[in-house]
Amino acid sequence: MTVSPLQHPADGVLQYASIGGLELETGGYLPDVVLAYETWGQLDPDAGNAVLVPHALTGSSHVARGSSTEPGWWEELVGPGRTVDTNRYFVVSANMLGGCYGSTGPASADPDGLPWGSRFPFVTIRDSVRAEARLADQLGIARWHAVLGGSLGGARALEWAVTEPDRVLHCGVIAATAASTAEQIAFAQAQLAAIRLDPDFSGGDYYNGTPPLTGLGLARRIAHITYRSEPELEYRFGRTPQAAEDPFGAMLPAGRGRYSVESYLDHQARKLAGRFDANSYLVLTEALVSHDVARGRGSLRAALAGTAADFFIAAVESDRLYFPRQSADLAAALPRETSVHHIRAPIGHDGFLTSVREISGALKREVFG
């Protein structure tokens, strides 16, 4: 479905746009690509109030509640009267190409009506920007007032500013870096291996059988440890046993009770396995692993030299996955002097979701005033 710029669909309700066939950066091709997206607010006649909010790795397009009953993942930031005030701005969020919340991904049907599965091609952050640019064209948006995202969403926002410099007025990069580091790649590799080594994975072609929920759950456990800080885990759980369970109840790991922190990780694993596709986890993680805004563009400073956007850079002080110094390095490479704002939250990387209010004032002054 194509939505004209003058239509006003219900806020926070999933819509679909067919953007045609897409040649991918590494040589793959996807025919008849569909992007699932949601919008909030009303697009001005001159389309000058549009804001794009890309989601993080396992996020969706549901940024804010809107007309639905489901809370959004950035509810504190986006909505009527919020920092990104949907009474003033037209907010768009699209499920990333390769995802599992409505956009074309591994679970989607190929031209023969079969799930793509293992045949789904490699997708990069730049591919996602090209796809979202077509969506913007269909919506009548020539330039975004802002592209704003955290983590994988921040990487996508940065790539937007470099790949489409004339289409981004403000670029918000929160808890994200200019390129995935060796350590970030290492954490990701362990997660990918956990999925691929699950006996139910079947090389990625499991859609007519049992999905690899064990492997996906293990991947989530590994990831979630990096999303939280050691002090937060110690404060919340320490060595406390899970209620009614004794960690010393048996000699075999499968038979003993759990510590509270183990129960917490098990809970996070079950939650993700119940809502996310393992192949999409692989595709989006591989895209994030490949993230390097300077790839093929010389140095980082050279890659950023052609950007026209005003940048808003923010880091979570306790982040042990995307270190604040990496945000500082990104800011230092920008062509215009840019400071780094800090989210003072002890929780770790997930602070960009749970404590975004820490930077809401600065965002309003610098981007949405």
Side-chain angles (χ1 to χ4, degrees), residues 151-165:
S151 196
L152 172 61
R156 292 162 66 191
L158 178 61
E159 191 62 53
W160 252 101
V162 175
T163 299
E164 299 282 353

Side-chain angles (χ1 to χ4, degrees), residues 78-135:
V78 178
R82 303 289 189 182
T83 303
V84 188
D85 188 351
T86 52
N87 291 326
R88 296 180 56 199
Y89 294 98
F90 179 68
V91 177
V92 180
S93 183
N95 182 223
M96 183 171 161
L97 179 67
C100 57
Y101 285 112
S103 291
T104 297
S108 303
D110 69 8
D112 296 322
L114 300 174
W116 280 100
S118 63
R119 296 169 296 115
F120 194 81
F122 190 96
V123 170
T124 67
I125 303 286
R126 295 179 192 180
D127 291 325
S128 76
V129 170
R130 290 178 54 239
E132 290 156 10
R134 292 193 191 178
L135 174 62

Side-chain angles (χ1 to χ4, degrees), residues 281-356:
Y281 195 98
L282 295 177
V283 169
L284 300 189
T285 300
E286 293 280 17
L288 186 53
V289 163
S290 75
H291 168 57
D292 181 358
V293 77
R295 176 170 44 79
R297 295 165 170 161
S299 67
L300 177 59
R301 191 174 294 275
L304 298 174
T307 58
D310 291 325
F311 279 82
F312 183 94
I313 308 295
V316 181
E317 286 189 342
S318 58
D319 198 336
R320 59 175 172 178
L321 180 60
Y322 291 87
F323 295 115
R325 69 169 182 270
Q326 294 168 330
S327 294
D329 291 342
L330 171 60
L334 289 168
R336 290 165 293 283
E337 184 175 351
T338 304
S339 60
V340 178
H341 300 273
H342 291 276
I343 297 173
R344 295 175 174 85
I347 196 173
H349 181 66
D350 273 355
F352 84 91
L353 292 171
T354 64
S355 302
V356 70

Side-chain angles (χ1 to χ4, degrees), residues 15 28-30 79 140 203 220 251 260 267 286 290 322 344 346 355:
Q15 305 164 67
Y29 177 74
L30 286 170
R220 183 60 164 183
M251 294 300 294
S260 293
H267 172 68
E286 293 280 17
S290 75
Y322 291 87
R344 295 175 174 85
S355 302

Side-chain angles (χ1 to χ4, degrees), residues 6-357:
L6 298 181
Q7 286 181 324
H8 180 42
D11 288 356
V13 175
L14 200 62
Q15 305 164 67
Y16 302 90
S18 296
I19 63 168
L22 193 65
E23 297 278 357
L24 301 176
E25 187 182 2
T26 59
Y29 177 74
L30 286 170
D32 303 322
V33 172
V34 171
L35 287 188
Y37 69 102
E38 298 175 41
T39 66
W40 298 261
Q42 177 71 55
L43 187 64
D44 285 348
D46 65 358
N49 68 331
V51 176
L52 180 66
V53 181
H55 62 76
L57 181 68
T58 60
S60 70
S61 58
H62 197 60
V63 174
R65 187 185 309 262
S67 301
S68 74
T69 59
E70 180 186 356
W73 52 263
W74 244 359
E75 196 90 1
E76 287 191 15
L77 193 70
V78 178
R82 303 289 189 182
T83 303
V84 188
D85 188 351
T86 52
N87 291 326
R88 296 180 56 199
Y89 294 98
F90 179 68
V91 177
V92 180
S93 183
N95 182 223
M96 183 171 161
L97 179 67
C100 57
Y101 285 112
S103 291
T104 297
S108 303
D110 69 8
D112 296 322
L114 300 174
W116 280 100
S118 63
R119 296 169 296 115
F120 194 81
F122 190 96
V123 170
T124 67
I125 303 286
R126 295 179 192 180
D127 291 325
S128 76
V129 170
R130 290 178 54 239
E132 290 156 10
R134 292 193 191 178
L135 174 62
D137 292 341
Q138 291 194 16
L139 294 172
I141 299 167
R143 183 172 72 166
W144 299 103
H145 172 80
V147 182
L148 172 71
S151 196
L152 172 61
R156 292 162 66 191
L158 178 61
E159 191 62 53
W160 252 101
V162 175
T163 299
E164 299 282 353
D166 296 330
R167 302 192 71 166
V168 181
L169 183 61
H170 297 276
C171 179
V173 182
I174 301 173
T177 63
S180 291
T181 65
E183 183 176 64
Q184 290 156 6
I185 294 169
F187 281 130
Q189 192 270 352
Q191 297 167 51
L192 299 176
I195 294 172
R196 289 177 173 137
L197 291 173
D198 187 318
D200 290 326
F201 181 60
S202 300
D205 296 314
Y206 51 79
Y207 293 109
N208 291 324
T210 303
L213 300 184
T214 299
L216 180 59
L218 181 54
R220 183 60 164 183
R221 288 175 177 88
I222 297 167
H224 205 78
I225 294 168
T226 72
Y227 298 159
R228 299 298 173 119
S229 70
E230 187 277 335
E232 195 251 353
L233 292 176
E234 184 64 25
Y235 174 78
R236 285 184 64 186
F237 304 108
R239 293 182 52 80
T240 306
Q242 180 64 7
E245 295 188 30
D246 181 3
F248 294 94
M251 294 300 294
L252 296 176
R256 69 167 174 82
R258 297 171 299 172
Y259 292 96
S260 293
V261 69
E262 294 177 296
S263 175
Y264 171 70
L265 292 175
D266 291 343
H267 172 68
Q268 296 298 329
R270 284 193 301 272
K271 279 199 336 184
L272 185 75
R275 68 174 177 86
F276 213 80
D277 179 53
N279 274 329
S280 282
Y281 195 98
L282 295 177
V283 169
L284 300 189
T285 300
E286 293 280 17
L288 186 53
V289 163
S290 75
H291 168 57
D292 181 358
V293 77
R295 176 170 44 79
R297 295 165 170 161
S299 67
L300 177 59
R301 191 174 294 275
L304 298 174
T307 58
D310 291 325
F311 279 82
F312 183 94
I313 308 295
V316 181
E317 286 189 342
S318 58
D319 198 336
R320 59 175 172 178
L321 180 60
Y322 291 87
F323 295 115
R325 69 169 182 270
Q326 294 168 330
S327 294
D329 291 342
L330 171 60
L334 289 168
R336 290 165 293 283
E337 184 175 351
T338 304
S339 60
V340 178
H341 300 273
H342 291 276
I343 297 173
R344 295 175 174 85
I347 196 173
H349 181 66
D350 273 355
F352 84 91
L353 292 171
T354 64
S355 302
V356 70
R357 62 186 176 277

